Amino acid sequence: VAGASVAVLGGGSWATALVKILNDNGTPVQWFIRDAEIVKSIQTVGRNPRYLSSVEFDPSFNALHATPKDALVASDTVIIAVPAAFLQSSIEALPVDAWKNKNVVSAVKGMVPGKNMILGDFFNQVLNVPFESFGVISGPCHAEEVAMEKLSYLTLASQNPELADTLCKLLGTRYIKTTPSDDIYGTEYAAVMKNIYAIASGICQGLGYGDNFQAVLVSNAIEEMEKFVKAVHPISRDIKDSAYLGDLLVTAYSKFSRNRTFGMMVGKGYGVKTSQLEMNMVAEGYYASACVHEVNKTYHVPMPIAEAVYNILYNRYAPVMEIRLLSDKLS
Amino acid sequence: VAGASVAVLGGGSWATALVKILNDNGTPVQWFIRDAEIVKSIQTVGRNPRYLSSVEFDPSFNALHATPKDALVASDTVIIAVPAAFLQSSIEALPVDAWKNKNVVSAVKGMVPGKNMILGDFFNQVLNVPFESFGVISGPCHAEEVAMEKLSYLTLASQNPELADTLCKLLGTRYIKTTPSDDIYGTEYAAVMKNIYAIASGICQGLGYGDNFQAVLVSNAIEEMEKFVKAVHPISRDIKDSAYLGDLLVTAYSKFSRNRTFGMMVGKGYGVKTSQLEMNMVAEGYYASACVHEVNKTYHVPMPIAEAVYNILYNRYAPVMEIRLLSDKLS
């Protein structure tokens, strides 16, 4: 998009996919990547060696930066695409002023650890970013399929309709269709909660429950999600839209979801810690489970599936018994 | 259930699964199966040799019948579990009187060919069965998983709450949980329409669309289904309940769905006739597509996905172009 100056923070697969989309749309990126080896590889051979390595970048098209500060200085729109767990450490060196007059756009599918806040609230309350300058990128969108240019859909949310429209133009390409939305809370929470339900789905698969049960689980999960986001932010929304239901489906039915795999190990009887060590990473839904549990202390929404996952992960309840009790609450 | 006298019409996998459930619940069945070899096998070795052959029946527990008339005479509740295409030929020899004072329960996931009626309307209008004596068995429930006694959920619908409750008791076992409903139109249409959407899902997979797109397709499909059943029968319902959304999910995401396989062949470029011949059977969604298209001439609900499937199957539109046009209507 002509005249846009966009920064992307992050060097993982989702960040890499977003830079590809922006580039394919003619937009160069001020790109912050912490890992110096990845920076060097993109600058020399035009590839991110660790994530989506099949994607080719024109080495001279983007400006790579070793600090977020350098990326922010040259941009008016900043897309945050680091894992939620690293958000605060990634930006702690930046003064609050660095965010002034920037559009801040979250592509983070998680909540701020320790604060139990979605990014919209975090940037607003902690870093003084007004809601009219805040946006969310969401949708059922595996980065791997973006790399293959398989047709995908993104929803771009902002309480500022102009920003939502600008983001739609920035990210719409021949293989990405975009839809604007005004629902930053619903899209952020859906992106967080789907990982909890993907863990639930994995646990049930690990315990031997079949496809019939999974269909009931996912149907109940989307109803549970609807009730929760309605309690947190009661605006008009159709939870069956692809930013909510679609995002849940692509995660809960994915064979490659880390959250689902983590849940499956727990369901098969490996301990929570063992499962995390074995996977050599922490599934985002593990943190999301605790965050949503804390937030729900304010709202008291009945969420039997999310609570079962919480009880299994944090209270060490036996999965076999916890899911059997859960099964009586589903219909 | 004590005192119940139940007939089941049909010897396919769903009929066989339903008899297993009824038997496991202590209810003997007046069982009509057209195929004499299957009857003989169940009477001698207690197994249906063609469908769910792992399921064992006590040969003396059920009464097998070679005609539907014999099965009906001895029962007050008749469960119809023949394929929709064979419904009329299965029961044409029966006088209208045979249905008098019977509860008639449809486990057929299709519409009456040539009449474009769901079974509720057919039995009411053609065979004078009052709606208070009519019920529907629905739910996300592969028969194969019932055979394995994997926990599954059924929704039992009737405009007569007492009949819905009776059916819940008849079919609830340790591996089947049941929920009553008053929505015979919604549950019947959902069971029919899911097969159209499973064909759509298969066509798109055959064309090379990925998981991101499938999630958007299914999200749009459930919204389309909601609009259609609301137009046909506007009562209060949550389309995300497992009888609607769950049934769509278990079919659209199943690797074993005939409808999905049929769609995939069409998407890969085999002709419609070739795909049917190759599969040696006709996918139910093929008929459902024409029926729903006809019914929608009364209601004019915008249904881009169902229309795309109809255009591909009946108007010989090229799948690649039809789905590309469809993709612009999704979000």
Side-chain angles (χ1 to χ4, degrees), chain A residues 86-151:
Chain A
F86 303 135
L87 174 70
Q88 285 165 295
S89 63
S90 295
I91 63 174
E92 65 189 352
L94 288 167
V96 173
D97 260 9
W99 303 97
K100 207 172 170 183
N101 298 325
K102 308 286 185 198
N103 292 316
V104 177
V105 182
S106 171
V108 177
K109 295 158 182 187
M111 297 176 75
V112 184
K115 299 204 180 287
N116 301 322
M117 284 176 170
I118 62 165
L119 268 71
D121 282 334
F122 175 76
F123 275 96
N124 181 256
Q125 293 176 27
V126 179
L127 299 171
N128 300 330
V129 174
F131 279 114
E132 64 177 33
S133 301
F134 181 77
V136 176
I137 299 174
S138 72
C141 206
H142 285 307
E144 291 72 16
E145 290 197 350
V146 172
M148 294 189 279
E149 301 187 359
K150 297 231 175 197
L151 183 64

Side-chain angles (χ1 to χ4, degrees), chain B:
Chain B
V1 172
S5 58
V6 177
V8 170
L9 310 189
S13 59
W14 191 218
T16 304
L18 289 169
V19 174
K20 172 182 162 61
I21 294 168
L22 289 160
N23 284 185
D24 286 348
N25 216 1
T27 305
V29 168
Q30 307 291 325
W31 194 357
F32 161 64
I33 300 176
R34 178 194 294 263
D35 184 327
E37 274 189 50
I38 295 180
V39 169
K40 195 176 165 196
S41 172
I42 293 172
Q43 285 175 324
T44 54
V45 300
R47 291 182 194 267
N48 182 332
R50 289 194 52 197
Y51 301 98
L52 307 188
S53 57
S54 67
V55 173
E56 280 187 85
F57 295 98
D58 177 343
S60 64
F61 194 62
N62 302 300
L64 278 286
H65 300 286
T67 69
K69 192 177 173 194
D70 291 339
L72 259 65
V73 163
S75 63
D76 52 32
T77 297
V78 186
I79 297 175
I80 321 271
V82 296
F86 304 136
L87 174 68
Q88 285 165 295
S89 64
S90 294
I91 64 175
E92 65 190 353
L94 289 168
V96 173
D97 260 9
W99 302 98
K100 208 172 168 183
N101 297 325
K102 307 285 185 198
N103 292 317
V104 177
V105 182
S106 171
V108 178
K109 296 158 180 185
M111 297 175 75
V112 184
K115 298 203 181 285
N116 302 322
M117 284 176 170
I118 61 165
L119 269 70
D121 282 334
F122 174 76
F123 275 96
N124 182 255
Q125 293 175 27
V126 179
L127 298 172
N128 300 331
V129 173
F131 280 114
E132 65 177 34
S133 300
F134 181 77
V136 176
I137 300 175
S138 73
C141 205
H142 285 306
E144 291 72 15
E145 290 196 348
V146 172
M148 293 189 279
E149 302 187 359
K150 297 229 175 197
L151 183 63
S152 305
Y153 293 67
L154 292 177
T155 294
L156 289 314
S158 175
Q159 291 181 359
N160 173 358
E162 280 179 36
L163 178 54
D165 284 341
T166 301
L167 293 172
C168 284
K169 291 196 189 94
L170 265 177
L171 294 161
T173 69
R174 70 181 192 288
Y175 55 87
I176 301 283
K177 293 188 193 287
T178 56
T179 309
S181 160
D182 64 355
D183 184 20
I184 60 167
Y185 286 91
T187 50
E188 279 214 72
Y189 269 114
V192 169
M193 295 175 77
K194 67 158 199 260
N195 290 327
I196 303 173
Y197 298 123
I199 291 179
S201 172
I203 291 173
C204 295
Q205 199 194 340
L207 286 167
Y209 288 84
D211 293 346
N212 292 351
F213 184 82
Q214 292 286 354
V216 172
L217 183 74
V218 174
S219 302
N220 280 262
I222 193 68
E223 294 187 355
E224 196 173 292
M225 184 194 285
E226 179 178 48
K227 284 182 202 133
F228 181 79
V229 295
K230 188 177 177 184
V232 172
H233 194 63
I235 63 169
S236 168
R237 67 171 68 82
D238 187 342
I239 205 78
K240 303 184 300 301
D241 285 350
S242 64
Y244 317 105
L245 176 60
D247 205 14
L248 173 63
L249 293 180
V250 84
T251 309
Y253 279 102
S254 168
K255 302 284 170 249
F256 306 106
S257 160
R258 287 175 293 198
N259 293 288
R260 201 161 187 278
T261 305
F262 170 63
M264 197 153 67
M265 292 186 69
V266 172
K268 279 184 188 294
Y270 296 88
V272 172
K273 277 272 169 289
T274 311
S275 303
Q276 289 173 342
L277 287 171
E278 191 71 33
M279 289 181 68
N280 203 18
M281 64 170 88
V282 177
E284 303 93 308
Y286 178 78
Y287 298 121
S289 175
C291 287
V292 168
H293 178 79
E294 287 304 314
V295 174
N296 198 32
K297 286 179 177 169
T298 305
Y299 298 103
H300 307 288
V301 177
M303 298 205 286
I305 304 173
E307 279 306 294
V309 171
Y310 180 82
N311 285 334
I312 291 168
L313 298 186
Y314 291 90
N315 292 331
R316 301 296 191 259
Y317 285 18
V320 63
M321 187 52 70
E322 194 62 13
I323 300 300
R324 195 178 298 161
L325 290 171
L326 172 64
S327 75
D328 284 330
K329 299 173 190 158
L330 306 179
S331 66

Side-chain angles (χ1 to χ4, degrees), chain A residues 113-272:
Chain A
K115 299 204 180 287
N116 301 322
M117 284 176 170
I118 62 165
L119 268 71
D121 282 334
F122 175 76
F123 275 96
N124 181 256
Q125 293 176 27
V126 179
L127 299 171
N128 300 330
V129 174
F131 279 114
E132 64 177 33
S133 301
F134 181 77
V136 176
I137 299 174
S138 72
C141 206
H142 285 307
E144 291 72 16
E145 290 197 350
V146 172
M148 294 189 279
E149 301 187 359
K150 297 231 175 197
L151 183 64
S152 304
Y153 293 68
L154 292 176
T155 295
L156 289 314
S158 175
Q159 292 181 358
N160 173 358
E162 282 181 33
L163 178 54
D165 284 341
T166 300
L167 293 172
C168 283
K169 290 196 188 94
L170 265 176
L171 294 161
T173 70
R174 71 181 189 289
Y175 54 87
I176 301 284
K177 294 188 192 289
T178 56
T179 309
S181 160
D182 64 354
D183 185 19
I184 60 167
Y185 286 91
T187 50
E188 278 214 71
Y189 269 114
V192 168
M193 294 174 78
K194 66 161 199 261
N195 290 325
I196 302 173
Y197 298 124
I199 291 178
S201 172
I203 291 172
C204 294
Q205 199 193 342
L207 286 167
Y209 288 84
D211 293 347
N212 292 351
F213 184 81
Q214 292 287 354
V216 173
L217 183 74
V218 173
S219 301
N220 280 262
I222 194 67
E223 294 187 355
E224 195 174 293
M225 185 194 284
E226 180 177 46
K227 284 182 202 133
F228 182 78
V229 295
K230 188 176 177 185
V232 171
H233 193 64
I235 63 169
S236 169
R237 67 172 67 82
D238 187 342
I239 205 80
K240 302 185 300 300
D241 285 349
S242 63
Y244 317 105
L245 176 60
D247 204 15
L248 174 63
L249 293 180
V250 85
T251 308
Y253 279 103
S254 167
K255 301 286 170 248
F256 306 106
S257 159
R258 286 175 294 199
N259 293 289
R260 201 160 187 280
T261 305
F262 169 63
M264 197 155 64
M265 292 187 69
V266 172
K268 279 183 187 294
Y270 296 88
V272 172

